[in-house]
Amino acid sequence: MRQHRLPATIFLATGFLGGKRGRFWWDEVCRWRAAGTTSVELEGMGRREVGTLAQRDRLLEELKHLPIDMIVERVRAASSRLGLAADPKAREEFLDWDQVREMQREGISFGAHTVSHCLLPRETSERRRQEIRQSRAEIESQTNRPCSLFCYPNGAWDEETRREVITAGYEGAMATFPRDVLTGRDLYRLPRKIVNLRSDMTVFRFKLSPDAERIKQLLQPVTRRSA
C-alpha cells in the first residue's frame, strides 16, 4: 500500500493492542481443534463437539449470542480444563501503539472497533456506551488525531446501538452484508465486503460488482412450500 500510495482505514479493537488480552476468544476456540480436542465442556452449555469444522463453527455461532465477558470466561475456563496455557506468541499477532503511529505517518487512518470486540446488541446499554466511547477516546489520545469512523464488530447493530454511535459524535459507521443495507442512504450502516486470502482477482472483481448480491440471491436454493 505504501508502494502504490493507497490510503486505508483500519478499525482497532483497542483492548487488544500489544496483545495484552491474549488471543481473540474465537481464535482460542480454534486452538482446541488444532490441539487435537474433539469435544469440550463449557459452563452452562454442556459438552460440545469440536472435532470438525462444521461443529466448531456451530459452537462459535452459539457463543456469539452471549455477552462478551461471559464468552471469554467460559472459553478461558475450558482451555484451562484442557491444559492449554496462554499462547506466548499471541502478542506478536497484534499491533501496538507505536506501530499504529508509524502506519499513521505513512497515510493509514484509524477508526474505532470497540474495546473488547463485543457484539454490541448483546450488551447492556451502559456497556455499549462504554465500548463505543472509550475506544474512540483511546485512539484519539494515542494518535493525536480525530477518530470519526466506527465499525460494528461482526457488523452487528441495532437501532439503539446506531443512536449511541451518533450520540458519541462519529460521522459514520460500517455495518456488513450489503444486501441488508441501503448503500449511500445511511452513513451509520455503510456496507463492507469480506475479502480474505482465498479471494483471487476474479473473486475480488465479483465482490466489487454492483450485481454481486443479486447474483448470490439467484443462486440460493429455492425453498419449496407445501400446498
Side-chain angles (χ1 to χ4, degrees), residues 27-37 40 75-87:
D27 287 332
E28 187 65 19
V29 171
C30 293
R31 278 184 77 202
W32 299 344
R33 185 168 176 272
T37 301
V40 61
V75 168
R76 285 180 177 171
S79 288
S80 179
R81 285 193 292 272
L82 292 171
L84 292 176
D87 187 353

Side-chain angles (χ1 to χ4, degrees), residues 10-17 21 97 110-118 120 127-143 145-153 165 168 170:
I10 295 175
F11 293 90
L12 300 172
T14 54
F16 289 89
L17 266 77
R21 294 194 182 199
W97 286 113
F110 293 90
H113 200 40
T114 71
V115 177
S116 66
H117 201 282
C118 61
L120 292 165
R127 181 62 178 269
R128 281 196 294 268
R129 186 175 304 112
Q130 174 193 348
E131 294 273 345
I132 291 169
R133 293 172 183 252
Q134 183 178 333
S135 55
R136 182 187 189 190
E138 289 178 353
I139 292 170
E140 291 185 336
S141 174
Q142 292 287 345
T143 64
R145 290 187 186 177
C147 175
S148 60
L149 294 177
F150 185 81
C151 184
Y152 306 105
V165 170
Y170 290 97

Side-chain angles (χ1 to χ4, degrees), residues 53-134:
L53 287 174
Q55 291 170 338
R56 183 206 66 188
D57 290 346
R58 282 195 295 271
L59 176 59
L60 291 175
E61 287 302 316
E62 189 173 352
L63 285 166
K64 286 179 182 179
H65 287 82
L66 302 174
I68 188 65
D69 290 342
M70 189 178 295
I71 298 174
V72 171
E73 180 180 352
R74 292 183 179 187
V75 168
R76 285 180 177 171
S79 288
S80 179
R81 285 193 292 272
L82 292 171
L84 292 176
D87 187 353
K89 295 183 179 180
R91 287 181 174 271
E92 301 172 8
E93 299 186 3
F94 293 91
L95 293 173
D96 59 34
W97 286 113
D98 287 337
Q99 291 170 322
V100 167
R101 287 185 285 269
E102 177 186 354
M103 295 171 74
Q104 182 175 259
R105 290 192 293 271
E106 296 286 348
I108 303 297
S109 58
F110 293 90
H113 200 40
T114 71
V115 177
S116 66
H117 201 282
C118 61
L119 271 61
L120 292 165
R122 308 281 191 240
E123 305 296 331
T124 64
S125 297
E126 181 179 353
R127 181 62 178 269
R128 281 196 294 268
R129 186 175 304 112
Q130 174 193 348
E131 294 273 345
I132 291 169
R133 293 172 183 252
Q134 183 178 333

Side-chain angles (χ1 to χ4, degrees), residues 191-224:
R192 58 189 170 113
K193 299 187 180 185
I194 297 172
V195 178
N196 55 33
L197 293 175
R198 296 187 297 273
S199 300
D200 60 18
M201 188 53 68
T202 299
V203 172
F204 183 67
R205 289 193 182 101
F206 174 75
K207 289 189 174 187
L208 294 183
S209 165
D211 298 319
E213 295 302 324
R214 195 176 311 155
I215 293 171
K216 282 197 288 187
Q217 289 180 7
L218 290 173
L219 293 175
Q220 293 291 328
V222 177
T223 303
R224 296 183 179 274

